[in-house]
Amino acid sequence: MIKKIIACAMSVAFAFGLTACGGSDYGESYDNYAANIDTAYVKEVAETLGSFGDDEVMGMRSAGSPAEKQACDYLQQEMKNIGLQNIEVEEATVDGWTFKGANITFTNAKGEEQKIDLGGYQTTLQADNGECELVYVDRGTADNYKDLDVTDKLVLFDINQEEDWWINYPAYQAKVKGAKAAIAMREFVEEADDRVGVQDVCGPADAPALAISNKDSKALQKAIEASGGDSIKVTLNCDSQVTENVKTHNLHGEIPGKTDETIFVFSHMDGYFHSDYDDAFGCGVSLAMAKAILESGYTPDKTIRFCMHGSEEWGREGSEYDWSTGAYEEIMSTHPEWVKEGFAIVNNDGGYAVEGEEYSGIMTSVELKKFVKDSVEQLNEEQNYSWSYDNLSTYTEDFQWTRVGIPAISAGSGEGTKYDDIGYHSTYDSFDAQPLDENGTAEVLQTYGKLVLDLDACNVRPMNFTARIRNYEKSLNDKQKEAIQPKLDEAYAAADALQAKMTEIEEADDPDAAIDMNQKTQEVYLALQDSLLGLDFINVDAIVRHDMYEDNIDYLDQTIDALQKGSIQEAYDEYLWAVDWSWYDMYFDEETCDYMKNQLFEKRDDTWGAGLIKYPHADTGDVVRSLKAKYDEEGADVSEEIAALKEIKAEQEEYLQKTYDSELKGIVKATKLMNQYAK
């Protein structure tokens, strides 16, 4: 609110037409919007949100916690201050987590008393000056506990959650071994001694986990070494509490339009540590976009509703799909009627303007990608970032909304890595550790503001169904593609016919006909998504459903071939590890892996992951453990393992064929709808 960016490097020095689907001249509207962009306001909002935290030292404003409610109250007042209308705060039921701090005190290698402050994961652990022992267990795998008794002890380990495994595996392994709690030192690409980092836990509350910096972890390890044993005594204080069925808060305010069709603008108010970026920056961007639109005098055709969600980072205990819970509840429980009027979503969670970054990206529903590229590439060439365009991720809160029929555009990092490499979900998520780039902030506001105005300029939702069909065709192997090519050709022809009809209605500038067409294209969108969209087991990435089974079969074939040639090590290291859960079976015991496999299916019904994986995983656990035992054995008999893998492969082939059949039914259904609505 100190100054406005009117003419930065990327600002438009000339009026240009937006990607206005109906041909109206929206260039002046964009120029007025851009002239009212206020980057200082973004920073003010983000820093205020970053100041809130249930733990004075580490921060944390998590699901249903006092700090999250404090953030909601502040954002509600800001919505009033800038002039948004119909502002509402609504409660949603989630699992809550309040972290009021944790620390340990010990005698260090120099013989001095030292206190270490710890971060937390969404688990329950209460301790008041509790005395216990602490043991270092390297990576926290099952093998790391050999010859160690860790009953009622704290276990300390290092973890790379991006390259190796998620916190839930070593934390649950510690529980299985009888440990009091796990303390994890999270590794990043860019090293920093005093940084503490976490992720969502994706596990049960009764496998408690805490987080520590590299510097403090090393101090504990040196103290253990100096002790001459394998453990040291420490004093633990901790107040970390997971509570079922608490209330989180979702906030929304709007700029009313001339119709009930709605463009949603997303961000989330919760965050790890005293986060200034994820997603305090996004909240600042959303409010600054609203403020600039209002101050420009622009009156939208569609209602623009700004939604700020609680419980995005976490909100479901003991689930593989424990994030985006506030947004899930908003569209599934509180406002399911919003689906019918939903035109599109623009999500500001991501694409953080970190100083020194050269790249940014936009993730989008496949059908909107052409529209997005056309919109963004109209901005002049003097840009701060190199932009790239990707498909939507499961990691943002718009995912469930797209599943029920509202396509989305979401901020992303593109090829950028600076924020993720240094600050993501850590104490380095701050403007002190990673300064905010003012020009980059202006470009973010210009880009996503333009997308909102361009969407509002369209009468007919700018969906390109040919892109979805092409994406599916590219995912098929040659044999399957040849088998269904006639159906694919029919789908392409139907998509072309529907596109022609959509263009006709757009150019006729008939609002009622456009709204009717938007309802029809939502049906097509759902038919394609319902049959084609799936998840993989491990990375929780959105995939075409058959991809997982095709990949499993390919890796199983190569594993079997290597074993038949007598190379256990090649089979184990090069191929078998890539089949579903095999990687984890290689490092963690059966009880730990079984819990995680069961958790995926047993606690997903009330999450955004429901229904996206139909068939059980390729259960190679027994084979993995058997081959691990024979790994160094010359001339080992692996006939039983080969037979077992062939059975698993046959099962995967059955699942693959059923999935192909289901996908084709979806293509045929969508083709029929497109032909019907093209008339």
Side-chain angles (χ1 to χ4, degrees), residues 297-524:
Y298 179 75
T299 301
D301 289 329
K302 301 169 186 64
T303 294
I304 305 174
R305 183 172 295 136
F306 295 83
C307 297
M308 297 182 176
H309 298 119
S311 302
E312 191 275 347
E313 301 290 6
W314 182 88
R316 283 284 183 267
E317 188 268 340
S319 174
E320 184 77 14
Y321 312 114
D322 60 8
W323 65 95
S324 297
T325 314
Y328 174 92
E329 290 296 333
E330 184 171 48
I331 198 62
M332 299 302 290
S333 302
T334 311
H335 288 294
E337 76 280 2
W338 282 358
V339 174
K340 184 177 181 180
E341 63 197 40
F343 190 80
I345 299 161
V346 175
N347 187 355
N348 288 316
D349 178 16
Y352 304 122
V354 173
E355 190 175 276
E357 184 58 85
E358 298 177 356
Y359 302 94
S360 195
I362 298 177
M363 300 180 293
T364 177
S365 297
V366 174
E367 292 84 354
L368 288 181
K369 191 175 291 186
K370 183 180 185 304
F371 164 82
V372 169
K373 292 179 70 174
D374 288 346
S375 174
V376 175
E377 290 174 4
Q378 281 186 352
L379 295 170
N380 72 20
E381 295 179 357
E382 297 180 25
Q383 295 180 333
N384 197 64
Y385 298 124
S386 295
W387 288 85
S388 59
Y389 308 92
D390 298 303
N391 294 341
L392 281 180
S393 165
T394 62
Y395 296 109
T396 53
E397 69 254 50
D398 49 72
F399 186 75
Q400 179 65 25
W401 292 51
T402 67
R403 286 193 65 193
V404 296
I406 310 174
I409 300 164
S410 184
S413 57
E415 296 180 18
T417 63
K418 286 187 70 68
Y419 173 74
D420 287 346
D421 289 352
I422 298 172
Y424 180 53
H425 289 181
S426 81
T427 51
Y428 273 33
D429 184 330
S430 73
F431 295 153
D432 289 335
Q434 294 186 283
L436 184 66
D437 181 355
E438 187 173 4
N439 288 333
T441 302
E443 184 167 335
V444 167
L445 286 165
Q446 290 163 344
T447 300
Y448 293 99
K450 184 175 187 299
L451 284 165
V452 169
L453 296 179
D454 280 3
L455 286 166
D456 190 50
C458 296
N459 295 314
V460 176
R461 189 187 293 109
M463 303 288 276
N464 176 14
F465 294 112
T466 298
R468 174 77 68 167
I469 300 164
R470 185 180 298 115
N471 186 65
Y472 176 64
E473 182 180 8
K474 287 180 179 179
S475 73
L476 297 170
N477 61 41
D478 290 342
K479 181 180 178 181
Q480 182 63 15
K481 179 180 174 182
E482 182 179 355
I484 68 167
Q485 190 63 58
K487 297 298 183 183
L488 291 174
D489 292 341
E490 291 174 15
Y492 282 126
D496 288 344
L498 181 60
Q499 185 64 59
K501 186 66 174 180
M502 293 164 66
T503 301
E504 175 188 324
I505 294 173
E506 181 68 54
E507 292 175 349
D509 200 21
D510 182 342
D512 290 337
I515 290 172
D516 180 62
M517 176 54 72
N518 291 335
Q519 294 300 311
K520 291 173 178 176
T521 59
Q522 190 175 74
E523 288 185 60
V524 177

Side-chain angles (χ1 to χ4, degrees), residues 84-105:
L84 288 176
Q85 298 182 41
N86 303 323
I87 300 167
E88 290 189 62
V89 175
E90 295 171 321
E91 293 183 341
T93 301
V94 300
D95 293 330
W97 177 51
T98 300
F99 181 78
K100 295 184 178 179
N103 61 73
I104 53 177
T105 305

Side-chain angles (χ1 to χ4, degrees), residues 182-316:
I183 303 177
M185 196 292 290
R186 181 181 163 209
E187 299 171 349
F188 284 73
V189 174
E190 294 285 339
E191 295 182 1
D193 262 0
D194 60 344
R195 176 183 51 216
V196 180
V198 298
Q199 289 284 22
D200 61 303
V201 74
C202 291
D206 64 354
L210 299 167
I212 193 169
S213 71
N214 181 59
K215 177 183 66 176
D216 290 334
S217 176
K218 294 299 184 188
L220 288 168
Q221 292 175 52
K222 288 179 181 178
I224 293 172
E225 185 179 351
S227 75
D230 57 19
S231 68
I232 57 170
K233 290 184 177 180
V234 301
T235 300
L236 172 68
N237 288 286
C238 183
D239 189 351
S240 178
Q241 184 67 49
V242 169
T243 307
E244 294 182 353
N245 300 323
V246 303
K247 300 299 181 183
T248 193
H249 298 86
N250 290 322
L251 166 68
H252 60 86
E254 63 190 32
I255 304 173
K258 300 170 187 175
T259 73
D260 290 334
E261 286 195 308
T262 304
I263 299 167
F264 295 93
V265 180
F266 280 6
S267 52
H268 67 85
M269 65 187 76
D270 60 325
Y272 290 107
F273 302 100
H274 286 294
S275 57
D276 287 335
Y277 285 104
D278 186 11
D279 188 32
F281 176 83
C283 290
V285 168
S286 288
L287 288 174
M289 285 171 56
K291 180 171 171 287
I293 292 171
L294 289 165
E295 291 180 355
S296 74
Y298 179 75
T299 301
D301 289 329
K302 301 169 186 64
T303 294
I304 305 174
R305 183 172 295 136
F306 295 83
C307 297
M308 297 182 176
H309 298 119
S311 302
E312 191 275 347
E313 301 290 6
W314 182 88
R316 283 284 183 267

Side-chain angles (χ1 to χ4, degrees), residues 551-595:
D551 288 346
N552 280 343
I553 291 166
D554 182 49
Y555 282 115
L556 286 166
D557 270 336
Q558 294 181 84
T559 303
I560 292 167
D561 184 60
L563 289 176
Q564 288 174 333
K565 293 176 180 177
S567 180
I568 295 176
Q569 295 180 7
E570 179 186 355
Y572 191 87
D573 294 336
E574 299 296 327
Y575 311 120
L576 182 57
W577 72 270
V579 179
D580 287 348
W581 263 287
S582 299
W583 173 256
Y584 302 104
D585 281 308
M586 291 175 176
Y587 290 95
F588 299 97
D589 67 19
E590 187 172 3
E591 182 177 349
T592 297
C593 291
D594 282 351
Y595 177 88

Side-chain angles (χ1 to χ4, degrees), residues 321 533-538 545 548-549 600-601 604 609-617:
Y321 312 114
L533 183 64
L535 293 177
D536 72 1
F537 280 114
I538 303 306
R545 289 196 178 213
M548 178 167 62
Y549 307 111
L600 185 142
F601 289 99
R604 63 174 180 167
L612 290 175
I613 298 176
K614 184 172 183 179
Y615 301 113
H617 60 283

Side-chain angles (χ1 to χ4, degrees), residues 132-149:
C132 55
E133 291 183 70
L134 180 142
V135 182
Y136 178 63
V137 292
D138 195 14
R139 311 297 290 182
T141 68
D143 288 346
N144 292 143
Y145 287 91
K146 186 178 180 181
D147 300 325
L148 285 177
D149 179 6

